[in-house]
Amino acid sequence: MQFHLNGYSPGDPDILPAAPGAENRLAQLPESVDVLIVGSGPAGTLLAAQLSTFPGISTRLVERRNGPLQLGQADGVACRTVEMFEAFGLSAKLVREAYWVNETAFWRPSPEDRSRIVRTGRVQDTEDGLSEFPHVIVNQARMQEYLLEYMRKSPTRLEPDYGLEFVGLQVDAEGEHPVRVTLRKVSSDTTTEVRAKYVVGCDGARSLVRRAIGAEPRGDFANHAWGVMDMLAVTDFPDIRLKAAIQSADEGNILLIPREGGHLVRLYVDLGEVDPNKRAAMREQNSVDKVIAIAQRVLRPYTLDVRDVVWFSVYEVGQRVTDRFDDVPPEQAGSRLPRVFIAGDACHTHSAKAGQGMNVSMQDAFNIGWKLVSVLEQRAGPELLRTYSQERHAIAQGLIDFDKQWSKIMASPPKDPAHPELGGVDPAELQAYFVKSGRYTAGVATRYPSATLLTAQPIHQDLARGFTIGMRFHSAPVVRLADAKPMQLGHAARADAAWRIYAFADASGERLRALADFLADSPKSPIRRSAPKSPTLRSAPECAEIDSVIDLRAVFQQGHRDLQVEQLPSMLLPRTGRFGLVDYEKVFCPDLKNGPDIFVLRGIDRAKGAMVVVRPDQYVANVLPLDAHDELAAFFAGFLLDRR
Amino acid sequence: MQFHLNGYSPGDPDILPAAPGAENRLAQLPESVDVLIVGSGPAGTLLAAQLSTFPGISTRLVERRNGPLQLGQADGVACRTVEMFEAFGLSAKLVREAYWVNETAFWRPSPEDRSRIVRTGRVQDTEDGLSEFPHVIVNQARMQEYLLEYMRKSPTRLEPDYGLEFVGLQVDAEGEHPVRVTLRKVSSDTTTEVRAKYVVGCDGARSLVRRAIGAEPRGDFANHAWGVMDMLAVTDFPDIRLKAAIQSADEGNILLIPREGGHLVRLYVDLGEVDPNKRAAMREQNSVDKVIAIAQRVLRPYTLDVRDVVWFSVYEVGQRVTDRFDDVPPEQAGSRLPRVFIAGDACHTHSAKAGQGMNVSMQDAFNIGWKLVSVLEQRAGPELLRTYSQERHAIAQGLIDFDKQWSKIMASPPKDPAHPELGGVDPAELQAYFVKSGRYTAGVATRYPSATLLTAQPIHQDLARGFTIGMRFHSAPVVRLADAKPMQLGHAARADAAWRIYAFADASGERLRALADFLADSPKSPIRRSAPKSPTLRSAPECAEIDSVIDLRAVFQQGHRDLQVEQLPSMLLPRTGRFGLVDYEKVFCPDLKNGPDIFVLRGIDRAKGAMVVVRPDQYVANVLPLDAHDELAAFFAGFLLDRR
């Protein structure tokens, strides 16, 4: 964490200095805003948090409910999401509070007595080295609170506008704020209009923004129903504090998820396919007492004495992907730029069992977030926004495909060894599938296709084999040179919409130094070209410095005691803030004390070194030789504006 | 963290349910309180935080200043202090914000040109394995804020009473609230009287509480002066982000401490001994500009361009220990019980250079804190309070002895190789001394003498050689059985004034099970005898449960997949809260994945096992064989009341 840059300020360093006027925020919506976000779920709050850091961007977040979510809904937080939260400075709080999914247990009918379940296996949940963070579980409400708190502490002091419902929108062909949005004030049933440069609909599975832009959910319209329950219970089931996939012979299946705080437990009880014509009857049949009774039968011979039901819902959902995530129909793709986007459940609906929903939704938001910042801050042209629907639609389709397979295997009855001809899933098969899909559920399997505007062809991938182009930057341990602090290299990244170049030194370090000099001095330097014209005060910390658009970090090969701070090139000791202080946090060395170093872990070419270009949402965009100055410049020229 | 025990509550789980009436707290002081704390420095806020958890104890914290400290003063936070903060749930926040002291650099005059300094060495600051936490640096003001926030979130919602100055006190011979305290309201210059059961003076080096109880600072009255400065600067001195001890040939010495946030730096500039008769002249001579000029000369050939001075102070201090830390003169020790205590700088004053002050002060408070809780909650008789002055006086004396040696070596001129006959300190000697004293400065060398009420004779020390009786419980990695979570065993401890028995299993586990049964069922069980008569709601989380006075934790020898939850004795699955839920967090297994396990690391006898009895302030009180049921009972009977 860097703070006290422009002088000492007492108190919580996460509370950033307020931008002028931020604390006199209007209670009413202004006539026009840069970005209007509809819906304060995981996608909406993450996007609002990301934008709130930029005082130059006016953002509003409207929410139909009259206050923040209190409980229920999603709870699975993939490793990748914790990595993203680290960029917001929220990971320490999250991993401290959350339940850690360390292992998953599998239960099936006993071969001796099929009316009783027995444990058939127990596997580590996340493979070693997959992420520096655990897979955790915490209430969606709490996840949103972390982000709401982040917004309140940001320079814009952003707060949601509650009690405002989206009614409809119109996109004008021109004008600075071409999107006209009609909102209804729930308390007074009056409507109001707001104009926006951009609108992002994070308004859930029944999204009205989606309808307004004429986008269509596609896929399987058969709904599957689950009884979902958060409860406090006394039981002799031994794995009540482990994630457990439980298949009974004849009573159905349960997915058991322990929750934060050491006592709460969530059960997903499979209620099967729903006949859309008999929905009311289905809900009646599946009262909380009936669902508890099913769970009790599944768990036999163990007892389940439910002492308190905290939240209960029967929910049905189909596996569907919306055909496009912005307002531009395919036939107008060449002639029109997107102004309205959807993210989260508005784009994709699927089962809850693989614990993906909240995570993929927040990743949608993290993708559109930096792109909106780049365009609104005039770092990039608006064509950049086309990549959002392209990139995230493919991810959503992959999610649905995964979910179909996962749901099918989870919902199938267990194979009866006495009657294999009846079919069903072999518990060993279920367990094997779970292990195989671990990277997917951890959220680290996402891969954007290469040879696009933002993701280069993997011509030089061999220079850094562990940083796969198109996939998330996989952090590894390093030691920061100036203060000898052991840390994760990936934690240098902040949710500040900046690109990062991680330059790994060649054997002599000469090519790395030459790169740093090129970036500092050459008129072709993408850092110089993209940096704001007149760096102003860092009142919004990351907005106006030389590293605010492209941030150079270096990893040398020497141990940190063998590299001299005083011999670093100036680009690696940049001046910052109103006092022109030196930023000492750009340079790292391998951690030689704890196992293989980062060059080994990530397959970096020690002779040649490598340059790893990372997007603001932490995906690897390019791997280049250290001396590929022109290629680097050309890559950034593909989408960044020349501001010099 | 355990929460949602009595039902789900939304929001920050660190905000505990308010005790009845806590939120309607009187703006004015009540006529009488259980504990009155004078002074809101490190000792006062830590003590108030500890007491604030107990709704049954009325506590007030008065402070002369009209608000919380904003900046300046101490900044060194020893590993041991971070361990203690973990028990308050504050370590994650602290280590995230703070500067980490990873290494210390030593600089001395160049042998070739004594007008220039050169780096002569660089050492790791804290030896490997000494603590699970780093040595960190953060402003004292921020440390106090963490604790003030903890108080605000506690069941009593405790807030300091600012603008109230201590004037004097009188201890009556009898009465429920025998201490009559006179306070002055600073704003109106009016006095008021409060009656208290106990008063703790945390009112600093010029303590008026100390004077009121007739205690006397003893020791060296010669004062040493330092210029202390927190600043933002530009320099080419390469170790500006490392702790550095710098000795120049003729210009004096500097201790440089980097600070939180990546930019701020503290300098201690040695100004030598002060003639008490020339104090005003000394202050005049040592203006901020003069002190900067000294620093610039010491750092030659490097430049120091100070851009902002955040805080500057010239402070002089003698090395003194107060003769007693409570109100009972030695001649009345047999006939009178203490009612008034002093803690922190009121007890001991010394140099700032070894970074001990804030740490030892908070340890004073952590020592008296649980003892006051024990007596006020009627767990123990008031004789227990006598041990405070006994234990902490010896520690303070050790601190002064250490500080004298440390200050002397730091203040001595460096030896000139050309003129060894002139004396001075060899830089290698300084560095060697620094390494040797590492455990002391980390705060983990504290050892209470054995064969006292609270610290047993080390008869069975061989059963657990790494848990030295009288020293702090040295945490080690384990895996929690029920949820397979890798964690630190020491983090089971909360700042809840409870004793903990860590039972390490014998080879078969039989003796451990017998111990658990004894503790559950025997009328001689100290847990049964000491537990509150009618366990009520855990509205104050740790106050009324079976584990609230003595908390049993077990560490088995098997890997966590080889031990069956369902076969644990009931004492290790205790019922808790209004729903009678099972507490699954009492049992641990070795962490077999990451290096040597806890039995190896802490020298536990694998054949016999061991019982390690740990005080509420985390010091090991006793090591016993698992079958020493009677000895265990006798140990606790020495100070705990029988409440059955």
Side-chain angles (χ1 to χ4, degrees), chain A residues 379-381 383 453-454 499 524-527 529-530 550 629-642:
Chain A
R379 302 172 180 190
E383 307 74 28
L453 189 65
L454 296 174
W499 286 74
K524 293 195 282 182
S525 159
I527 293 187
R529 285 175 169 237
S530 65
I550 304 173
H629 302 176
D630 289 345
E631 274 174 270
L632 181 71
F635 174 78
F636 279 115
F639 51 90
L640 289 187
L641 301 176
D642 191 339

PDB file of all heavy atoms in Angstrom, chain A residues 379-381 383 453-454 499 524-527 529-530 550 629-642:
ATOM      1  N   ARG A 379      -7.955   7.708 -22.917  1.00  0.00           N
ATOM      2  CA  ARG A 379      -6.730   6.953 -23.124  1.00  0.00           C
ATOM      3  C   ARG A 379      -6.846   6.131 -24.406  1.00  0.00           C
ATOM      4  O   ARG A 379      -5.852   5.822 -25.042  1.00  0.00           O
ATOM      5  CB  ARG A 379      -6.507   5.984 -21.965  1.00  0.00           C
ATOM      6  CG  ARG A 379      -6.431   6.663 -20.626  1.00  0.00           C
ATOM      7  CD  ARG A 379      -6.406   5.637 -19.509  1.00  0.00           C
ATOM      8  NE  ARG A 379      -6.338   6.307 -18.226  1.00  0.00           N
ATOM      9  CZ  ARG A 379      -6.107   5.683 -17.088  1.00  0.00           C
ATOM     10  NH1 ARG A 379      -5.916   4.367 -17.066  1.00  0.00           N
ATOM     11  NH2 ARG A 379      -6.050   6.363 -15.967  1.00  0.00           N
ATOM     12  N   ALA A 380      -8.095   5.699 -24.713  1.00  0.00           N
ATOM     13  CA  ALA A 380      -8.322   4.832 -25.860  1.00  0.00           C
ATOM     14  C   ALA A 380      -9.573   5.300 -26.588  1.00  0.00           C
ATOM     15  O   ALA A 380     -10.431   5.983 -26.014  1.00  0.00           O
ATOM     16  CB  ALA A 380      -8.508   3.388 -25.398  1.00  0.00           C
ATOM     17  N   GLY A 381      -9.676   4.912 -27.855  1.00  0.00           N
ATOM     18  CA  GLY A 381     -10.866   5.238 -28.633  1.00  0.00           C
ATOM     19  C   GLY A 381     -12.017   4.319 -28.275  1.00  0.00           C
ATOM     20  O   GLY A 381     -11.814   3.234 -27.696  1.00  0.00           O
ATOM     21  N   GLU A 383     -13.753   2.297 -29.896  1.00  0.00           N
ATOM     22  CA  GLU A 383     -13.794   0.972 -30.522  1.00  0.00           C
ATOM     23  C   GLU A 383     -13.435  -0.114 -29.502  1.00  0.00           C
ATOM     24  O   GLU A 383     -13.837  -1.274 -29.644  1.00  0.00           O
ATOM     25  CB  GLU A 383     -12.810   0.878 -31.692  1.00  0.00           C
ATOM     26  CG  GLU A 383     -12.954   1.971 -32.745  1.00  0.00           C
ATOM     27  CD  GLU A 383     -12.413   3.314 -32.274  1.00  0.00           C
ATOM     28  OE1 GLU A 383     -11.499   3.338 -31.426  1.00  0.00           O
ATOM     29  OE2 GLU A 383     -12.946   4.352 -32.749  1.00  0.00           O
ATOM     30  N   LEU A 453      -7.421  -7.444 -30.919  1.00  0.00           N
ATOM     31  CA  LEU A 453      -6.899  -6.126 -30.560  1.00  0.00           C
ATOM     32  C   LEU A 453      -6.115  -6.166 -29.252  1.00  0.00           C
ATOM     33  O   LEU A 453      -5.069  -5.515 -29.105  1.00  0.00           O
ATOM     34  CB  LEU A 453      -8.112  -5.191 -30.403  1.00  0.00           C
ATOM     35  CG  LEU A 453      -7.876  -3.702 -30.244  1.00  0.00           C
ATOM     36  CD1 LEU A 453      -7.253  -3.138 -31.500  1.00  0.00           C
ATOM     37  CD2 LEU A 453      -9.205  -2.992 -29.944  1.00  0.00           C
ATOM     38  N   LEU A 454      -6.629  -6.932 -28.291  1.00  0.00           N
ATOM     39  CA  LEU A 454      -6.086  -6.892 -26.926  1.00  0.00           C
ATOM     40  C   LEU A 454      -5.232  -8.097 -26.567  1.00  0.00           C
ATOM     41  O   LEU A 454      -4.613  -8.109 -25.510  1.00  0.00           O
ATOM     42  CB  LEU A 454      -7.243  -6.786 -25.921  1.00  0.00           C
ATOM     43  CG  LEU A 454      -8.074  -5.523 -26.013  1.00  0.00           C
ATOM     44  CD1 LEU A 454      -9.266  -5.593 -25.076  1.00  0.00           C
ATOM     45  CD2 LEU A 454      -7.217  -4.305 -25.702  1.00  0.00           C
ATOM     46  N   TRP A 499      -2.422  -0.568 -17.491  1.00  0.00           N
ATOM     47  CA  TRP A 499      -1.693  -1.714 -18.036  1.00  0.00           C
ATOM     48  C   TRP A 499      -0.393  -1.872 -17.271  1.00  0.00           C
ATOM     49  O   TRP A 499       0.137  -0.897 -16.725  1.00  0.00           O
ATOM     50  CB  TRP A 499      -1.375  -1.464 -19.519  1.00  0.00           C
ATOM     51  CG  TRP A 499      -2.584  -1.592 -20.390  1.00  0.00           C
ATOM     52  CD1 TRP A 499      -3.609  -0.703 -20.501  1.00  0.00           C
ATOM     53  CD2 TRP A 499      -2.890  -2.681 -21.244  1.00  0.00           C
ATOM     54  NE1 TRP A 499      -4.549  -1.182 -21.372  1.00  0.00           N
ATOM     55  CE2 TRP A 499      -4.133  -2.393 -21.856  1.00  0.00           C
ATOM     56  CE3 TRP A 499      -2.253  -3.886 -21.564  1.00  0.00           C
ATOM     57  CZ2 TRP A 499      -4.743  -3.257 -22.764  1.00  0.00           C
ATOM     58  CZ3 TRP A 499      -2.855  -4.743 -22.472  1.00  0.00           C
ATOM     59  CH2 TRP A 499      -4.093  -4.433 -23.058  1.00  0.00           C
ATOM     60  N   LYS A 524       8.937   7.263 -29.277  1.00  0.00           N
ATOM     61  CA  LYS A 524       8.061   6.148 -29.618  1.00  0.00           C
ATOM     62  C   LYS A 524       7.575   5.386 -28.378  1.00  0.00           C
ATOM     63  O   LYS A 524       6.785   4.459 -28.490  1.00  0.00           O
ATOM     64  CB  LYS A 524       8.790   5.178 -30.554  1.00  0.00           C
ATOM     65  CG  LYS A 524       9.072   5.786 -31.926  1.00  0.00           C
ATOM     66  CD  LYS A 524       9.455   4.720 -32.958  1.00  0.00           C
ATOM     67  CE  LYS A 524      10.892   4.287 -32.759  1.00  0.00           C
ATOM     68  NZ  LYS A 524      11.324   3.278 -33.760  1.00  0.00           N
ATOM     69  N   SER A 525       8.081   5.764 -27.226  1.00  0.00           N
ATOM     70  CA  SER A 525       7.720   5.055 -25.999  1.00  0.00           C
ATOM     71  C   SER A 525       6.206   5.079 -25.767  1.00  0.00           C
ATOM     72  O   SER A 525       5.602   6.153 -25.658  1.00  0.00           O
ATOM     73  CB  SER A 525       8.405   5.725 -24.807  1.00  0.00           C
ATOM     74  OG  SER A 525       7.719   5.394 -23.611  1.00  0.00           O
ATOM     75  N   PRO A 526       5.578   3.929 -25.677  1.00  0.00           N
ATOM     76  CA  PRO A 526       4.129   3.938 -25.416  1.00  0.00           C
ATOM     77  C   PRO A 526       3.785   4.547 -24.061  1.00  0.00           C
ATOM     78  O   PRO A 526       2.696   5.106 -23.882  1.00  0.00           O
ATOM     79  CB  PRO A 526       3.746   2.460 -25.500  1.00  0.00           C
ATOM     80  CG  PRO A 526       5.010   1.688 -25.361  1.00  0.00           C
ATOM     81  CD  PRO A 526       6.118   2.579 -25.850  1.00  0.00           C
ATOM     82  N   ILE A 527       4.686   4.443 -23.115  1.00  0.00           N
ATOM     83  CA  ILE A 527       4.413   5.063 -21.808  1.00  0.00           C
ATOM     84  C   ILE A 527       4.357   6.575 -21.963  1.00  0.00           C
ATOM     85  O   ILE A 527       3.428   7.230 -21.481  1.00  0.00           O
ATOM     86  CB  ILE A 527       5.468   4.637 -20.759  1.00  0.00           C
ATOM     87  CG1 ILE A 527       5.340   3.142 -20.465  1.00  0.00           C
ATOM     88  CG2 ILE A 527       5.335   5.479 -19.499  1.00  0.00           C
ATOM     89  CD1 ILE A 527       6.214   2.630 -19.336  1.00  0.00           C
ATOM     90  N   ARG A 529       3.838   8.250 -24.747  1.00  0.00           N
ATOM     91  CA  ARG A 529       2.738   8.654 -25.627  1.00  0.00           C
ATOM     92  C   ARG A 529       1.381   8.610 -24.926  1.00  0.00           C
ATOM     93  O   ARG A 529       0.497   9.407 -25.205  1.00  0.00           O
ATOM     94  CB  ARG A 529       2.665   7.705 -26.827  1.00  0.00           C
ATOM     95  CG  ARG A 529       3.764   7.973 -27.816  1.00  0.00           C
ATOM     96  CD  ARG A 529       3.736   6.935 -28.919  1.00  0.00           C
ATOM     97  NE  ARG A 529       4.624   7.371 -29.968  1.00  0.00           N
ATOM     98  CZ  ARG A 529       4.269   7.566 -31.240  1.00  0.00           C
ATOM     99  NH1 ARG A 529       3.041   7.320 -31.626  1.00  0.00           N
ATOM    100  NH2 ARG A 529       5.141   7.979 -32.112  1.00  0.00           N
ATOM    101  N   SER A 530       1.227   7.628 -24.033  1.00  0.00           N
ATOM    102  CA  SER A 530      -0.097   7.436 -23.443  1.00  0.00           C
ATOM    103  C   SER A 530      -0.303   8.218 -22.154  1.00  0.00           C
ATOM    104  O   SER A 530      -1.433   8.386 -21.697  1.00  0.00           O
ATOM    105  CB  SER A 530      -0.331   5.954 -23.174  1.00  0.00           C
ATOM    106  OG  SER A 530       0.589   5.495 -22.199  1.00  0.00           O
ATOM    107  N   ILE A 550       0.336   3.087 -18.346  1.00  0.00           N
ATOM    108  CA  ILE A 550       1.177   1.884 -18.461  1.00  0.00           C
ATOM    109  C   ILE A 550       2.226   1.951 -17.353  1.00  0.00           C
ATOM    110  O   ILE A 550       2.975   2.921 -17.246  1.00  0.00           O
ATOM    111  CB  ILE A 550       1.888   1.807 -19.830  1.00  0.00           C
ATOM    112  CG1 ILE A 550       0.870   1.878 -20.986  1.00  0.00           C
ATOM    113  CG2 ILE A 550       2.705   0.514 -19.925  1.00  0.00           C
ATOM    114  CD1 ILE A 550       1.517   1.979 -22.372  1.00  0.00           C
ATOM    115  N   HIS A 629      11.176  -3.324 -28.921  1.00  0.00           N
ATOM    116  CA  HIS A 629      10.629  -1.995 -28.620  1.00  0.00           C
ATOM    117  C   HIS A 629       9.550  -1.606 -29.612  1.00  0.00           C
ATOM    118  O   HIS A 629       8.493  -1.083 -29.224  1.00  0.00           O
ATOM    119  CB  HIS A 629      11.744  -0.951 -28.626  1.00  0.00           C
ATOM    120  CG  HIS A 629      12.850  -1.252 -27.657  1.00  0.00           C
ATOM    121  ND1 HIS A 629      13.981  -0.499 -27.547  1.00  0.00           N
ATOM    122  CD2 HIS A 629      12.995  -2.247 -26.747  1.00  0.00           C
ATOM    123  CE1 HIS A 629      14.780  -1.000 -26.612  1.00  0.00           C
ATOM    124  NE2 HIS A 629      14.203  -2.067 -26.110  1.00  0.00           N
ATOM    125  N   ASP A 630       9.803  -1.864 -30.885  1.00  0.00           N
ATOM    126  CA  ASP A 630       8.834  -1.451 -31.909  1.00  0.00           C
ATOM    127  C   ASP A 630       7.547  -2.270 -31.814  1.00  0.00           C
ATOM    128  O   ASP A 630       6.451  -1.732 -31.946  1.00  0.00           O
ATOM    129  CB  ASP A 630       9.440  -1.574 -33.313  1.00  0.00           C
ATOM    130  CG  ASP A 630      10.503  -0.511 -33.552  1.00  0.00           C
ATOM    131  OD1 ASP A 630      10.560   0.459 -32.763  1.00  0.00           O
ATOM    132  OD2 ASP A 630      11.290  -0.665 -34.501  1.00  0.00           O
ATOM    133  N   GLU A 631       7.710  -3.562 -31.577  1.00  0.00           N
ATOM    134  CA  GLU A 631       6.518  -4.390 -31.448  1.00  0.00           C
ATOM    135  C   GLU A 631       5.669  -3.940 -30.251  1.00  0.00           C
ATOM    136  O   GLU A 631       4.444  -3.950 -30.304  1.00  0.00           O
ATOM    137  CB  GLU A 631       6.913  -5.861 -31.248  1.00  0.00           C
ATOM    138  CG  GLU A 631       7.154  -6.627 -32.547  1.00  0.00           C
ATOM    139  CD  GLU A 631       7.688  -8.025 -32.270  1.00  0.00           C
ATOM    140  OE1 GLU A 631       8.928  -8.148 -32.199  1.00  0.00           O
ATOM    141  OE2 GLU A 631       6.881  -8.952 -32.116  1.00  0.00           O
ATOM    142  N   LEU A 632       6.352  -3.582 -29.192  1.00  0.00           N
ATOM    143  CA  LEU A 632       5.629  -3.107 -28.008  1.00  0.00           C
ATOM    144  C   LEU A 632       4.850  -1.834 -28.339  1.00  0.00           C
ATOM    145  O   LEU A 632       3.668  -1.696 -28.013  1.00  0.00           O
ATOM    146  CB  LEU A 632       6.617  -2.844 -26.869  1.00  0.00           C
ATOM    147  CG  LEU A 632       5.981  -2.371 -25.557  1.00  0.00           C
ATOM    148  CD1 LEU A 632       5.204  -3.500 -24.887  1.00  0.00           C
ATOM    149  CD2 LEU A 632       7.041  -1.833 -24.598  1.00  0.00           C
ATOM    150  N   ALA A 633       5.536  -0.925 -29.007  1.00  0.00           N
ATOM    151  CA  ALA A 633       4.890   0.335 -29.378  1.00  0.00           C
ATOM    152  C   ALA A 633       3.703   0.068 -30.296  1.00  0.00           C
ATOM    153  O   ALA A 633       2.624   0.668 -30.140  1.00  0.00           O
ATOM    154  CB  ALA A 633       5.906   1.257 -30.061  1.00  0.00           C
ATOM    155  N   ALA A 634       3.891  -0.848 -31.233  1.00  0.00           N
ATOM    156  CA  ALA A 634       2.815  -1.156 -32.184  1.00  0.00           C
ATOM    157  C   ALA A 634       1.626  -1.791 -31.479  1.00  0.00           C
ATOM    158  O   ALA A 634       0.468  -1.483 -31.779  1.00  0.00           O
ATOM    159  CB  ALA A 634       3.343  -2.089 -33.275  1.00  0.00           C
ATOM    160  N   PHE A 635       1.920  -2.661 -30.515  1.00  0.00           N
ATOM    161  CA  PHE A 635       0.832  -3.306 -29.791  1.00  0.00           C
ATOM    162  C   PHE A 635      -0.056  -2.260 -29.106  1.00  0.00           C
ATOM    163  O   PHE A 635      -1.276  -2.255 -29.253  1.00  0.00           O
ATOM    164  CB  PHE A 635       1.386  -4.301 -28.765  1.00  0.00           C
ATOM    165  CG  PHE A 635       0.311  -4.889 -27.900  1.00  0.00           C
ATOM    166  CD1 PHE A 635      -0.508  -5.902 -28.389  1.00  0.00           C
ATOM    167  CD2 PHE A 635       0.074  -4.411 -26.615  1.00  0.00           C
ATOM    168  CE1 PHE A 635      -1.529  -6.434 -27.609  1.00  0.00           C
ATOM    169  CE2 PHE A 635      -0.938  -4.931 -25.835  1.00  0.00           C
ATOM    170  CZ  PHE A 635      -1.744  -5.942 -26.328  1.00  0.00           C
ATOM    171  N   PHE A 636       0.564  -1.356 -28.379  1.00  0.00           N
ATOM    172  CA  PHE A 636      -0.227  -0.348 -27.654  1.00  0.00           C
ATOM    173  C   PHE A 636      -0.891   0.640 -28.611  1.00  0.00           C
ATOM    174  O   PHE A 636      -1.982   1.145 -28.335  1.00  0.00           O
ATOM    175  CB  PHE A 636       0.635   0.386 -26.630  1.00  0.00           C
ATOM    176  CG  PHE A 636       0.818  -0.391 -25.360  1.00  0.00           C
ATOM    177  CD1 PHE A 636       2.067  -0.856 -24.968  1.00  0.00           C
ATOM    178  CD2 PHE A 636      -0.271  -0.665 -24.543  1.00  0.00           C
ATOM    179  CE1 PHE A 636       2.227  -1.579 -23.784  1.00  0.00           C
ATOM    180  CE2 PHE A 636      -0.117  -1.386 -23.353  1.00  0.00           C
ATOM    181  CZ  PHE A 636       1.138  -1.848 -22.986  1.00  0.00           C
ATOM    182  N   ALA A 637      -0.220   0.902 -29.752  1.00  0.00           N
ATOM    183  CA  ALA A 637      -0.808   1.833 -30.722  1.00  0.00           C
ATOM    184  C   ALA A 637      -2.102   1.274 -31.310  1.00  0.00           C
ATOM    185  O   ALA A 637      -2.906   2.017 -31.872  1.00  0.00           O
ATOM    186  CB  ALA A 637       0.192   2.126 -31.835  1.00  0.00           C
ATOM    187  N   GLY A 638      -2.309  -0.030 -31.150  1.00  0.00           N
ATOM    188  CA  GLY A 638      -3.539  -0.649 -31.650  1.00  0.00           C
ATOM    189  C   GLY A 638      -4.801  -0.143 -30.966  1.00  0.00           C
ATOM    190  O   GLY A 638      -5.893  -0.240 -31.520  1.00  0.00           O
ATOM    191  N   PHE A 639      -4.666   0.391 -29.769  1.00  0.00           N
ATOM    192  CA  PHE A 639      -5.881   0.841 -29.068  1.00  0.00           C
ATOM    193  C   PHE A 639      -5.671   2.078 -28.194  1.00  0.00           C
ATOM    194  O   PHE A 639      -6.622   2.788 -27.893  1.00  0.00           O
ATOM    195  CB  PHE A 639      -6.470  -0.295 -28.231  1.00  0.00           C
ATOM    196  CG  PHE A 639      -5.456  -0.963 -27.335  1.00  0.00           C
ATOM    197  CD1 PHE A 639      -5.243  -0.493 -26.068  1.00  0.00           C
ATOM    198  CD2 PHE A 639      -4.696  -2.034 -27.808  1.00  0.00           C
ATOM    199  CE1 PHE A 639      -4.289  -1.085 -25.265  1.00  0.00           C
ATOM    200  CE2 PHE A 639      -3.739  -2.625 -26.987  1.00  0.00           C
ATOM    201  CZ  PHE A 639      -3.536  -2.157 -25.723  1.00  0.00           C
ATOM    202  N   LEU A 640      -4.414   2.357 -27.792  1.00  0.00           N
ATOM    203  CA  LEU A 640      -4.209   3.552 -26.959  1.00  0.00           C
ATOM    204  C   LEU A 640      -4.017   4.774 -27.838  1.00  0.00           C
ATOM    205  O   LEU A 640      -3.383   4.707 -28.892  1.00  0.00           O
ATOM    206  CB  LEU A 640      -2.987   3.381 -26.049  1.00  0.00           C
ATOM    207  CG  LEU A 640      -3.088   2.405 -24.883  1.00  0.00           C
ATOM    208  CD1 LEU A 640      -1.838   2.511 -23.999  1.00  0.00           C
ATOM    209  CD2 LEU A 640      -4.339   2.667 -24.033  1.00  0.00           C
ATOM    210  N   LEU A 641      -4.554   5.896 -27.401  1.00  0.00           N
ATOM    211  CA  LEU A 641      -4.398   7.144 -28.142  1.00  0.00           C
ATOM    212  C   LEU A 641      -3.046   7.774 -27.838  1.00  0.00           C
ATOM    213  O   LEU A 641      -2.511   7.628 -26.743  1.00  0.00           O
ATOM    214  CB  LEU A 641      -5.512   8.120 -27.745  1.00  0.00           C
ATOM    215  CG  LEU A 641      -6.934   7.631 -27.986  1.00  0.00           C
ATOM    216  CD1 LEU A 641      -7.937   8.657 -27.461  1.00  0.00           C
ATOM    217  CD2 LEU A 641      -7.168   7.364 -29.466  1.00  0.00           C
ATOM    218  N   ASP A 642      -2.527   8.472 -28.826  1.00  0.00           N
ATOM    219  CA  ASP A 642      -1.292   9.228 -28.626  1.00  0.00           C
ATOM    220  C   ASP A 642      -1.683  10.575 -28.025  1.00  0.00           C
ATOM    221  O   ASP A 642      -2.364  11.384 -28.659  1.00  0.00           O
ATOM    222  CB  ASP A 642      -0.584   9.419 -29.970  1.00  0.00           C
ATOM    223  CG  ASP A 642       0.823   9.970 -29.774  1.00  0.00           C
ATOM    224  OD1 ASP A 642       1.093  10.567 -28.709  1.00  0.00           O
ATOM    225  OD2 ASP A 642       1.650   9.792 -30.689  1.00  0.00           O
TER     226      ASP A 642
END
